[in-house]
Amino acid sequence: MKLITEVAAQAGIGEEHLELYGKYKSKLSPSLWEDMKNKPDGKLVLVTAVNPTPAGEGKTLTTIGLAQALNAAGVKTVAALREPSLGPCLGMKGGATGGGKSQIIPADEINLHFTGDIHAVTSAHNLLSAMIDNHIFQGNELGLDPQRIVWKRVMDMNDRSLRNIVTGLGDGNGAVRESGFQITTASEIMAVLCLCDNLTDLKKRLNRILIGYDQEGQPVTAEQIGAVEAMTALLKEAVKPNLVQTLEGTPVIVHGGPFANIAHGCSSVIGTRYALKLGDVVVTEAGFGADLGAEKFMDIKCRQAGLTPSAAVLVVTVKSLKYNGGVPKNELQTENRTALRTGLSNLERHVENLGKFGVPVLVAINHFEGDSPEEITDVVEACRRLNVPAAISKVWAEGSAGGQELASELKKLLDHSDTERFAPLYENEIDISSKITKIVREIYRGAEVNFSPAAKRSLAVIERLGLNDLQVCMAKTPYSFSDQPRLLGAPEGFTVGIRDITLSLGAGFAVVITGNIVTMPGLPAKPAAEALWMDEDGVIHGLV
Amino acid sequence: MKLITEVAAQAGIGEEHLELYGKYKSKLSPSLWEDMKNKPDGKLVLVTAVNPTPAGEGKTLTTIGLAQALNAAGVKTVAALREPSLGPCLGMKGGATGGGKSQIIPADEINLHFTGDIHAVTSAHNLLSAMIDNHIFQGNELGLDPQRIVWKRVMDMNDRSLRNIVTGLGDGNGAVRESGFQITTASEIMAVLCLCDNLTDLKKRLNRILIGYDQEGQPVTAEQIGAVEAMTALLKEAVKPNLVQTLEGTPVIVHGGPFANIAHGCSSVIGTRYALKLGDVVVTEAGFGADLGAEKFMDIKCRQAGLTPSAAVLVVTVKSLKYNGGVPKNELQTENRTALRTGLSNLERHVENLGKFGVPVLVAINHFEGDSPEEITDVVEACRRLNVPAAISKVWAEGSAGGQELASELKKLLDHSDTERFAPLYENEIDISSKITKIVREIYRGAEVNFSPAAKRSLAVIERLGLNDLQVCMAKTPYSFSDQPRLLGAPEGFTVGIRDITLSLGAGFAVVITGNIVTMPGLPAKPAAEALWMDEDGVIHGLV
């Protein structure tokens, strides 16, 4: 592992701009931005994927491997990634730092506390929560309706027992009311941190956060609670991007990690901007499949930040296509070209969808050991028929060497890419229900949108408050284009049911809830935490 | 502000032993301990105080000022302090980094997230909580009694609404049960972190933590839940002490901050040991007044760690003595020698008590602007009558210059101090109720101890489990020698009521609860958080 000062130096960052966290992690000081801000931007590449399956597609892996391969091919490249959340890391998922020969390091520290950014979000969030309940306790000058507080508490832990709780029990402990905890990555503050331009913009956005309604039904914001200055102070360091490296020494900015369902699921705008000044190419990723992640990346992140992607890399695996073709999880190892060909419909539609944003697409076939040559050929052939370039990626087993084809295809694409064709899917000016309908029809390919009574009431509130210029953030199952997890492949003609619409006014979007979205995961029967152990030298095992 | 690398170099710490957190904070690597462990220890000085009053005694201030003054007088001195907790900092108390010309810096960062140690304790604690509830949810193999889980959750925030809650409501969210949150500094893990020798001992102690009882009434420990390896991994960095500096560049180790009521209220053993290798004198402090803080320092921290204090500095103010003499809070500014002389009884008893540990005492009269010369003289005279050295301290206004007299008196004391006379108050071999009775009679000077039925049941459990070799950790109001906050001065003849006794088996003590001990503070009508603000350069104001 190189010292982070070395990695920084190779990326052209002077030591005076580093705020070290140990020897292998560093925050980048705002002084670096002042130094670089007039430099031209590099080209932005989004790594996205087909609909996720239990087999894992390897989006983070591909992002890291591709960045390594581009550097090996002489293209100065920086990766911009999300920070893993501790809860899932100790729960079901394990670490989120890539794998094999394409990892970001120090993986254990990145997966655990890293530089404390998520903890800072937790603190800022819960300060607001405590000040809301204290406001009610101290006399409720604002006339808050305790039954209509929408701001919950957060914790970076998978803890299902905290999903629905009653607080304030006992004598002198405030108003008894129903509430709950979300995981920290689901906090609107995480979304705000990842969309803001700087500390000043962060503060503005925090001020706008809707915390509930008063007894007249009027919205009440964080600004009115008087918490925002202290929250900003708590986020002062978290707003600075973090620099780490890959196993091959490629610089990586790891910053922010908002939920991909009730938030937009991309690493921070600030981190992306730094990366674009440091690299000729920046490889970044978005959560879930392209129906959710890429759509939100384009429609929310790029729109708000004025970013223009030059290309999208769509990660697919033979297993994921077989799964989409109807093969159950435990039979994915077996060759099944019929199912594979059925499942290709999923890939085709994502390719087509990405075209709607005016972004050229490269398909990355993430190779697994059990894949048969014939299956791989089927995918390659399908891409040829679709007239979209494809490359086999072996970055897990081989690092940059296994990403040469991918890097070379991407270079060709970037050489001819015309960013002027990029456009978000919908105009910001159309109203919220039209935005939803457009996404459902053009990306998901549903026939109808069915708004529940609660959703209709929310639309009326949005209308009344004049908030139609918000973007929409779809909270939908990632496993299907539809809102039904088992509808695999490329379903059509379905109806998407909108259960509710909530307001993330600081983030600037309305969260459109389809189905039952869990914002506080639970632990499985065998939590990943149980497999973790530390040897006598303090080295952590069993995390990734 | 000097770079922390400079401060370290002056303290004889090579850069290879530093793990920097920005430019002004550093963790000290275990490699430093390997380098220093065979060096002789410096002399350990405890700063303690009379019973705390609303006027504030300035114990942390005096610790910092004294360390500065000793260094100015040519004595190589290191201070060892507790880390401030975020909750109180944003609540009632404000910052806890000293004041005036005797502060530790960077104060804002130390008061907010610092190096993330408290966040790590929160994560480790709540992982155990989540795994306990998940254990019940997944089938409850251990037969845990959901009504007898004693392990709560923690948050570093003042949030009274979380004191008593019901968790697990709703479908599929686990067992519905009563629970609650404590502030993180009240977590047993914080006490464990502060008493352990190293990572290996930390793990042993975590294994011993009592989390509840099974349906047969048998104790269940953290080890049985399978959480301890992951908890240790989460605490891997937190166990390393942190180095910062005072305004005058004196090195300070800030590490750990356990509650002073249900825990022992001292900074970490590891930090103290590092400091003793680095300084010829180490100045440290303990929470609350000497009846609680010094007793626990001697009986718990020094006993467990094999430390021997060479002297105690007892901080007193004219205001605190007047308050103990019956003057209400808002009249403390006015000269009142009669009340002062009445209140001196409080000082006298603390001096006498400290003598029982065989530790020589120096009284530090922390000077406030409104103190009249006659009042000061009264205190000095009283000390002379008690045959105890005293010095006026003006370290708030003048820094080290205002601590010259204090430093010089301490040097004299240390030159003649004989650490062989030190002994804890009670033998570890006597049973828990005898330990309690001894503290109540000899330190508090109560006549009787009254054990509630719950406390008697707990004593029986302790007997049954063979746990009489635990120390006792008294959870009592800090404002009086008695268990009644308004019984000021030097009360006698009172009865101390023991409401309950709980077990902190990882920390190695039984917590003896008198009265109503709050382990989750609430926010006041005007939280300190509201006064906080950040300017355009990111500088935080209103924190201290």
Side-chain angles (χ1 to χ4, degrees):
Chain A
M1 193 162 14
K2 286 192 251 180
L3 292 175
I4 199 65
T5 44
E6 264 180 77
V7 176
Q10 283 166 16
I13 306 169
E15 268 199 63
E16 69 277 19
H17 302 306
L18 297 181
E19 300 177 10
L20 298 176
Y21 280 63
K23 294 181 170 57
Y24 305 103
K25 301 168 288 177
S26 183
K27 284 206 165 273
L28 299 175
S29 162
S31 63
L32 176 61
W33 180 252
E34 289 307 311
D35 246 37
M36 304 188 299
K37 66 183 177 191
N38 296 320
K39 287 171 73 176
D41 277 352
K43 291 185 174 183
L44 182 59
V45 175
L46 173 71
V47 175
T48 182
V50 295
N51 287 86
T53 71
E57 282 58 57
K59 210 166 41 196
T60 304
L61 172 81
T62 305
T63 308
I64 297 166
L66 174 56
Q68 290 185 149
L70 284 164
N71 269 308
V75 182
K76 194 176 175 192
T77 304
V78 176
L81 287 175
R82 289 174 293 168
E83 175 181 358
S85 166
L86 188 56
C89 187
L90 298 171
M92 185 80 91
K93 197 179 169 189
T97 48
K101 290 192 173 166
S102 294
Q103 290 187 44
I104 47 173
I105 49 174
D108 57 346
E109 296 181 21
I110 297 171
N111 277 314
L112 299 181
H113 308 294
F114 198 29
T115 58
D117 295 347
I118 299 185
H119 291 316
V121 171
T122 304
S123 294
H125 186 115
N126 291 335
L127 172 64
L128 180 54
S129 313
M131 286 180 75
I132 291 167
D133 271 309
N134 189 55
H135 181 88
I136 299 172
F137 177 83
Q138 302 285 355
N140 198 7
E141 207 178 312
L142 292 169
L144 280 170
D145 181 348
Q147 305 315 316
R148 291 195 72 195
I149 306 292
V150 296
W151 192 253
K152 297 187 171 187
R153 287 175 178 80
V154 297
M155 186 187 279
D156 189 11
M157 197 57 69
N158 287 14
D159 192 346
R160 70 171 64 73
S161 295
L162 294 180
R163 283 175 190 156
N164 292 309
I165 64 174
V166 169
T167 60
L169 294 166
D171 236 23
N173 296 335
V176 176
R177 63 183 189 86
E178 281 188 59
S179 187
F181 276 76
Q182 304 175 306
I183 192 160
T184 302
T185 45
S187 166
E188 186 181 345
I189 294 176
M190 180 57 93
V192 161
L193 183 75
C194 289
L195 286 168
C196 73
D197 297 321
N198 49 41
L199 264 182
T200 310
D201 184 39
L202 175 78
K203 199 189 286 187
K204 269 192 217 157
R205 288 171 177 267
L206 293 177
N207 272 323
R208 292 202 303 258
I209 286 175
L210 176 75
I211 63 101
Y213 296 87
D214 68 15
Q215 276 133 11
E216 266 79 56
Q218 292 305 308
V220 179
T221 63
E223 182 173 22
Q224 292 170 270
I225 301 296
V228 169
E229 288 284 344
M231 290 163 72
T232 310
L234 285 168
L235 295 165
K236 170 173 163 293
E237 301 303 315
V239 87
K240 300 175 187 167
N242 308 293
L243 182 70
V244 291
Q245 63 187 301
T246 72
L247 282 176
E248 297 185 9
T250 292
V252 183
I253 287 181
V254 174
H255 195 220
F259 240 42
N261 53 27
I262 57 121
H264 63 292
C266 309
S267 67
S268 81
V269 164
I270 293 178
T272 307
R273 286 198 181 130
Y274 274 64
L276 286 167
K277 298 299 181 191
L278 293 167
D280 293 329
V281 173
V282 171
V283 189
T284 191
E285 58 162 351
F288 295 152
D291 54 327
L292 286 165
E295 185 270 310
K296 294 181 189 185
F297 177 80
M298 312 285 184
D299 282 327
I300 299 175
K301 180 176 174 176
C302 288
R303 184 199 311 257
Q304 288 198 16
L307 297 170
T308 310
S310 295
V313 173
L314 183 67
V315 180
V316 66
T317 65
V318 162
K319 285 184 185 173
S320 67
L321 294 176
K322 287 191 283 191
Y323 187 84
N324 266 288
V327 176
K329 185 182 164 184
N330 53 2
E331 290 169 27
L332 291 173
Q333 296 286 0
T334 320
E335 186 185 83
N336 188 336
R337 294 175 67 188
T338 317
L340 176 78
R341 274 180 234 135
T342 310
L344 275 167
S345 62
N346 191 266
L347 173 67
E348 284 165 24
R349 185 177 287 173
H350 284 296
V351 169
E352 204 180 295
N353 281 349
L354 287 166
K356 296 187 181 179
F357 297 95
V359 175
V361 181
L362 165 63
V363 174
I365 307 166
N366 181 22
H367 185 268
F368 277 63
E369 221 168 286
D371 300 346
S372 82
E374 292 74 15
E375 288 176 318
I376 295 282
T377 308
D378 285 343
V379 185
V380 172
E381 290 293 330
C383 292
R384 194 165 302 154
R385 282 196 305 277
L386 286 168
N387 204 18
V388 61
I392 295 157
S393 170
K394 297 187 172 179
V395 297
W396 190 91
E398 300 171 16
S400 61
Q404 279 181 3
E405 188 190 344
L406 190 62
S408 130
E409 287 297 327
L410 181 63
K411 273 171 72 179
K412 279 192 246 166
L413 206 63
L414 291 178
D415 284 345
H416 301 96
S417 130
D418 168 15
T419 55
E420 281 178 23
R421 289 188 50 221
F422 170 71
L425 183 77
Y426 53 80
E427 298 295 313
N428 223 24
E429 289 65 36
I430 64 176
D431 66 21
I432 298 292
S433 70
S434 305
K435 286 170 185 158
I436 298 168
T437 306
K438 187 148 192 177
I439 293 170
V440 169
R441 296 237 169 97
E442 299 192 18
I443 302 292
Y444 308 162
R445 318 293 178 96
E448 300 282 346
V449 184
N450 178 21
F451 292 91
S452 74
K456 282 183 187 155
R457 280 195 300 275
S458 297
L459 284 175
V461 169
I462 289 168
E463 201 68 48
R464 174 164 69 83
L465 300 175
L467 296 171
N468 268 318
D469 60 341
L470 295 171
Q471 282 101 57
V472 295
C473 180
M474 301 300 289
K476 177 182 76 71
T477 176
Y479 304 114
S480 167
F481 275 106
S482 76
D483 58 350
Q484 299 151 59
R486 283 155 208 239
L487 226 48
L488 303 177
E492 280 179 326
F494 53 86
T495 296
V496 172
I498 311 295
R499 200 161 59 84
D500 202 357
I501 300 171
T502 63
L503 294 170
S504 290
L505 299 183
F509 50 67
V511 182
V512 179
I513 297 166
T514 74
N516 194 14
I517 298 296
V518 174
T519 57
M520 172 52 99
L523 289 171
K526 282 270 162 215
E530 285 184 15
L532 219 81
W533 62 281
M534 213 175 52
D535 64 26
E536 279 173 14
D537 300 323
V539 178
I540 297 171
H541 302 267
L543 192 62
V544 189
Chain B
M1 194 161 16
K2 286 191 251 182
L3 292 175
I4 199 66
T5 44
E6 263 181 77
V7 175
Q10 283 166 16
I13 306 169
E15 268 199 63
E16 68 277 19
H17 302 307
L18 297 181
E19 299 176 11
L20 298 176
Y21 279 65
K23 294 180 170 58
Y24 305 104
K25 302 168 288 179
S26 184
K27 285 208 164 271
L28 300 175
S29 160
S31 63
L32 176 61
W33 179 252
E34 289 307 311
D35 246 38
M36 303 189 300
K37 66 182 178 192
N38 297 318
K39 287 172 73 175
D41 277 352
K43 292 185 173 182
L44 182 59
V45 175
L46 173 70
V47 175
T48 182
V50 295
N51 288 86
T53 70
E57 283 58 56
K59 211 166 42 197
T60 304
L61 173 82
T62 305
T63 308
I64 297 166
L66 174 57
Q68 290 186 148
L70 283 164
N71 269 308
V75 182
K76 195 176 174 192
T77 304
V78 176
L81 288 175
R82 288 174 293 169
E83 175 181 357
S85 165
L86 188 56
C89 185
L90 298 171
M92 184 79 92
K93 199 181 169 188
T97 49
K101 290 192 173 167
S102 294
Q103 290 187 44
I104 48 174
I105 49 175
D108 57 346
E109 295 180 20
I110 297 171
N111 277 315
L112 300 181
H113 309 293
F114 199 29
T115 57
D117 295 346
I118 299 185
H119 291 317
V121 170
T122 304
S123 293
H125 185 116
N126 291 335
L127 172 64
L128 179 55
S129 313
M131 286 180 76
I132 291 167
D133 270 309
N134 189 55
H135 182 89
I136 299 171
F137 178 83
Q138 302 285 355
N140 198 6
E141 207 179 311
L142 291 168
L144 280 170
D145 181 347
Q147 306 315 316
R148 290 193 73 195
I149 305 293
V150 297
W151 191 255
K152 298 186 169 186
R153 287 175 178 79
V154 297
M155 185 187 279
D156 190 12
M157 198 54 71
N158 288 11
D159 192 345
R160 69 170 67 72
S161 294
L162 293 179
R163 285 175 189 155
N164 292 309
I165 64 174
V166 169
T167 60
L169 295 166
D171 235 23
N173 296 334
V176 175
R177 62 183 189 86
E178 282 186 58
S179 188
F181 276 76
Q182 303 176 307
I183 192 161
T184 302
T185 46
S187 166
E188 186 181 346
I189 295 177
M190 180 57 93
V192 162
L193 183 76
C194 289
L195 287 169
C196 73
D197 296 322
N198 48 42
L199 264 183
T200 309
D201 184 39
L202 175 78
K203 199 189 285 187
K204 272 193 216 157
R205 288 171 177 267
L206 293 177
N207 272 322
R208 292 203 302 259
I209 286 176
L210 176 75
I211 64 99
Y213 297 87
D214 66 16
Q215 276 134 11
E216 267 77 57
Q218 293 303 309
V220 179
T221 63
E223 184 173 20
Q224 293 170 268
I225 300 296
V228 169
E229 288 283 344
M231 291 163 71
T232 310
L234 286 168
L235 294 165
K236 171 173 163 289
E237 302 302 315
V239 86
K240 300 174 186 168
N242 308 294
L243 181 70
V244 291
Q245 63 187 302
T246 71
L247 281 176
E248 297 184 10
T250 292
V252 183
I253 287 180
V254 175
H255 194 220
F259 239 43
N261 54 27
I262 57 122
H264 62 291
C266 309
S267 68
S268 80
V269 164
I270 294 178
T272 307
R273 286 199 181 129
Y274 274 63
L276 286 167
K277 299 297 180 191
L278 292 168
D280 294 330
V281 172
V282 171
V283 189
T284 191
E285 58 163 350
F288 294 151
D291 53 328
L292 286 166
E295 186 270 312
K296 294 181 190 186
F297 178 80
M298 312 285 185
D299 282 328
I300 299 174
K301 179 176 174 177
C302 288
R303 184 198 311 256
Q304 288 198 15
L307 297 171
T308 310
S310 295
V313 172
L314 184 66
V315 179
V316 66
T317 64
V318 162
K319 284 182 185 174
S320 67
L321 294 175
K322 286 190 284 193
Y323 187 83
N324 266 288
V327 175
K329 185 182 165 184
N330 54 2
E331 290 169 27
L332 291 173
Q333 295 287 1
T334 320
E335 186 184 86
N336 187 336
R337 295 174 68 189
T338 316
L340 176 77
R341 272 181 236 137
T342 311
L344 275 166
S345 62
N346 191 266
L347 174 67
E348 285 166 23
R349 185 177 286 173
H350 283 296
V351 168
E352 205 179 294
N353 281 350
L354 287 166
K356 295 186 181 180
F357 296 94
V359 175
V361 181
L362 165 63
V363 173
I365 307 165
N366 180 21
H367 185 268
F368 276 63
E369 221 168 283
D371 300 345
S372 82
E374 293 74 16
E375 289 176 318
I376 295 283
T377 308
D378 286 341
V379 185
V380 172
E381 290 293 330
C383 292
R384 194 166 301 154
R385 281 196 306 276
L386 286 168
N387 205 19
V388 61
I392 295 156
S393 168
K394 297 185 172 179
V395 297
W396 191 92
E398 299 171 17
S400 62
Q404 279 181 3
E405 189 189 343
L406 190 63
S408 129
E409 288 297 326
L410 180 64
K411 274 170 72 178
K412 278 192 246 166
L413 207 63
L414 291 177
D415 284 344
H416 301 96
S417 131
D418 168 14
T419 56
E420 283 179 20
R421 289 187 51 223
F422 168 72
L425 183 77
Y426 53 80
E427 299 296 314
N428 223 24
E429 288 67 35
I430 63 176
D431 66 21
I432 299 290
S433 70
S434 305
K435 286 171 185 158
I436 298 168
T437 307
K438 188 151 189 173
I439 293 171
V440 169
R441 295 239 169 95
E442 298 193 18
I443 302 290
Y444 306 163
R445 318 295 176 94
E448 301 281 345
V449 185
N450 179 20
F451 292 91
S452 75
K456 282 183 187 156
R457 280 194 301 275
S458 297
L459 284 175
V461 170
I462 289 168
E463 200 69 46
R464 174 164 69 84
L465 300 175
L467 296 171
N468 268 317
D469 61 341
L470 295 171
Q471 282 102 57
V472 295
C473 180
M474 302 298 291
K476 176 183 74 73
T477 175
Y479 304 114
S480 166
F481 275 105
S482 77
D483 59 351
Q484 299 151 59
R486 284 155 208 239
L487 226 50
L488 303 177
E492 280 179 326
F494 53 86
T495 296
V496 172
I498 311 296
R499 201 160 59 84
D500 203 357
I501 301 171
T502 63
L503 294 171
S504 290
L505 299 183
F509 50 67
V511 181
V512 180
I513 296 166
T514 74
N516 196 14
I517 299 296
V518 174
T519 56
M520 173 50 100
L523 289 170
K526 282 270 162 215
E530 285 184 15
L532 219 80
W533 63 281
M534 213 174 52
D535 64 27
E536 280 172 13
D537 300 323
V539 178
I540 297 171
H541 302 267
L543 191 62
V544 188

